[in-house]
Amino acid sequence: MIPFLDLQKINSVYRDELIDACRRVIDSGWYIHGNECACFESEFAQYCGVRHCIGVANGLDALTLILGAYKELGFMKDGDEVIVPANTYIATILAVSRNNLVPVPVEPDSESCLIDPRAIEEKITAETRAVMPVHLYGQTCEMDEISVIAKRYGLKVIEDSAQSHGAYFGGRRCGGLGDAGGFSFYPGKNLGCLGDGGAVTTDDDELSEAVRTLANYGSKEKYVNIYKGFNSRLDEIQAAMLRVKLRYLDEETEKRRRTAEYYLRNIKNEKIVLPYVRNPQDHVWHLFTVRTEERDRFQEYLKQNGIQTLIHYPIPPHRQMAYPEWNERSYPVSESIHAQVLSLPISSVQEESVTENIVRVVNEYE
């Protein structure tokens, strides 16, 4: 069976360096908020082209802390609205709910599957305070249009960059395209640690300080708590792992691009809709997601031919039991996407012969 993602193989490439990094942390005797985290924050901030990076426990916390910091700074209050994509992983929306803010889902563009700027403007009200675009599958949203709309209405732009480490728009990397960005370093991400991890990026000095304080129990000075904060920290072991892997991220991205390019050039099956690509050199291909009206049958066919695939994501947020108040709503574009998408294997260690075999099997599907 061709695995969807072979994490053991991905990490084995850097095994000796990862072991050395782990040993360095163990020998240091300092395991939380030490030198490894500080160095990673500096290195990742530089990579994203921003002044600040705050390492946190996971991607959901990153988004939650950004919104929480804006509340502490007086820009938002309970009941304010945040515009989110209707088709996304539920973490985007949970971050809004966890802050007693109101998520306002909007439909994506049917071709790119990314949030539609035209739909954003239609949903803005007097209570809207922010837009949270999700750079889905490794491709950035239309950030120029979104930024113009946000500026017109005085809104914050908070990037959900969990799937787009290193992706570009207009010559700048994500995480530096809005007012703040939230990243996940879950093991399966393009930049993944060996556990959970996340980060907030921003150029805003005041926001950076508020996020860092909130994430540390609401404290800047030990035992002095100015906010009702969280315990959300990127530990030294994971920071050390990420420092190793960050050095190779662009190289790994180029390997993903080559695989994606081969798929795009050689998959010829008329039943399969290939992903929209705005600019090949901006996309980082966290996922290679195709669409077909007979998704379940196609997935079973691939399984029978030894190819593992995943569905990102089978149930749209408005159909989840977590949001019963939305269950009767209709978002037809999102519903169509969630019913049709299927992600093919793609990674930095996928051999060319494997990619060729996948293409052959896809093209033989009837």
Side-chain angles (χ1 to χ4, degrees):
M1 175 71 73
I2 296 171
F4 177 76
L5 188 65
D6 190 340
L7 290 177
Q8 190 278 332
K9 188 174 181 180
I10 289 171
N11 289 314
S12 69
V13 176
Y14 315 117
R15 183 177 185 277
D16 291 343
E17 290 181 75
L18 293 171
I19 290 172
D20 286 344
C22 186
R23 184 182 298 114
R24 187 170 67 240
V25 174
I26 293 170
D27 292 346
S28 76
W30 196 293
Y31 309 122
I32 297 288
H33 276 179
N35 182 66
E36 296 295 337
C37 186
C39 287
F40 173 73
E41 288 176 339
S42 175
E43 291 158 7
F44 194 63
Q46 183 177 11
Y47 181 82
C48 294
V50 296
R51 287 201 300 274
H52 304 287
C53 169
I54 305 95
V56 299
N58 54 67
L60 172 57
D61 279 9
L63 298 175
T64 302
L65 286 161
I66 293 168
L67 293 167
Y70 277 130
K71 289 183 70 179
E72 296 293 353
L73 295 172
F75 184 79
M76 298 180 187
K77 64 182 186 305
D78 286 1
D80 282 344
E81 297 174 352
V82 178
I83 291 175
V84 296
N87 70 309
T88 183
Y89 184 57
I90 200 169
T92 311
I93 296 169
L94 291 175
V96 180
S97 300
R98 285 175 63 178
N99 279 288
N100 294 318
L101 300 167
V102 179
V104 178
V106 302
E107 288 274 55
D109 174 81
S110 59
E111 186 178 22
S112 71
C113 302
L114 301 170
I115 193 169
D116 188 342
R118 295 164 297 181
I120 290 173
E121 193 155 20
E122 294 171 1
K123 294 292 185 178
I124 294 172
T125 72
E127 284 71 47
T128 308
R129 293 292 176 269
V131 181
M132 191 177 285
V134 178
H135 304 313
L136 204 61
Y137 308 148
Q139 182 164 231
T140 56
C141 299
E142 297 290 347
M143 293 304 294
D144 51 357
E145 297 180 52
I146 292 171
S147 296
V148 167
I149 293 168
K151 186 175 181 180
R152 184 182 303 147
Y153 293 95
L155 309 179
K156 298 297 184 183
V157 178
I158 302 165
E159 301 172 74
D160 183 337
S161 299
Q163 297 189 10
S164 56
H165 312 73
Y168 281 95
F169 185 92
R172 294 199 67 190
R173 282 192 167 118
C174 71
L177 300 171
D179 295 285
F183 287 87
S184 167
F185 303 126
Y186 182 78
K189 304 298 185 182
N190 288 25
L191 179 61
C193 52
L194 275 67
D196 263 323
V200 172
T201 56
T202 184
D203 276 325
D204 186 327
D205 298 343
E206 190 177 29
L207 179 69
S208 172
E209 184 175 359
V211 167
R212 191 175 293 281
T213 303
L214 264 180
N216 187 42
Y217 299 97
S219 173
K220 288 192 287 186
E221 179 184 349
K222 194 169 185 177
Y223 303 130
V224 179
N225 304 81
I226 60 176
Y227 303 138
K228 297 175 182 176
F230 305 87
N231 173 16
S232 182
R233 299 176 293 201
L234 180 66
D235 69 69
E236 285 290 278
I237 290 284
Q238 299 307 335
M241 302 295 103
L242 289 166
R243 291 186 69 198
V244 171
K245 298 183 74 175
L246 178 59
R247 294 198 292 268
Y248 300 100
L249 179 57
D250 287 345
E251 179 183 329
E252 289 195 352
T253 297
E254 285 304 318
K255 293 176 181 177
R256 287 175 174 270
R257 286 181 179 140
R258 288 197 291 271
T259 298
E261 181 185 1
Y262 190 89
Y263 279 149
L264 291 168
R265 190 171 63 249
N266 292 286
I267 292 177
K268 304 293 186 182
N269 193 318
E270 294 182 357
K271 290 187 175 184
I272 308 304
V273 178
L274 295 171
Y276 165 81
V277 183
R278 185 194 309 115
N279 184 334
Q281 288 307 304
D282 290 348
H283 205 311
V284 296
W285 296 106
H286 173 59
L287 299 171
F288 191 94
T289 300
V290 300
R291 294 170 65 178
T292 176
E293 292 183 359
E294 44 194 54
R295 190 262 311 284
D296 294 344
R297 178 171 173 264
F298 181 50
Q299 184 178 39
E300 180 60 26
Y301 162 81
L302 293 175
K303 179 181 177 181
Q304 294 301 319
N305 282 273
I307 300 169
Q308 183 186 32
T309 58
L310 292 181
I311 299 171
H312 296 91
Y313 300 95
I315 305 173
H318 70 281
R319 296 290 192 221
Q320 298 284 359
M321 288 186 289
Y323 289 93
E325 67 274 25
W326 293 354
N327 289 171
E328 300 305 314
R329 293 186 187 180
S330 177
Y331 295 95
V333 178
S334 294
E335 290 160 17
S336 174
I337 290 170
H338 283 261
Q340 295 179 2
V341 292
L342 189 69
S343 299
L344 301 180
I346 187 169
S347 78
S348 58
V349 294
Q350 185 164 306
E351 296 175 359
E352 188 174 337
S353 60
V354 170
T355 305
E356 291 171 353
N357 183 48
I358 293 170
V359 168
R360 178 187 59 78
V361 172
V362 170
N363 283 337
E364 290 176 356
Y365 174 68
E366 295 179 350

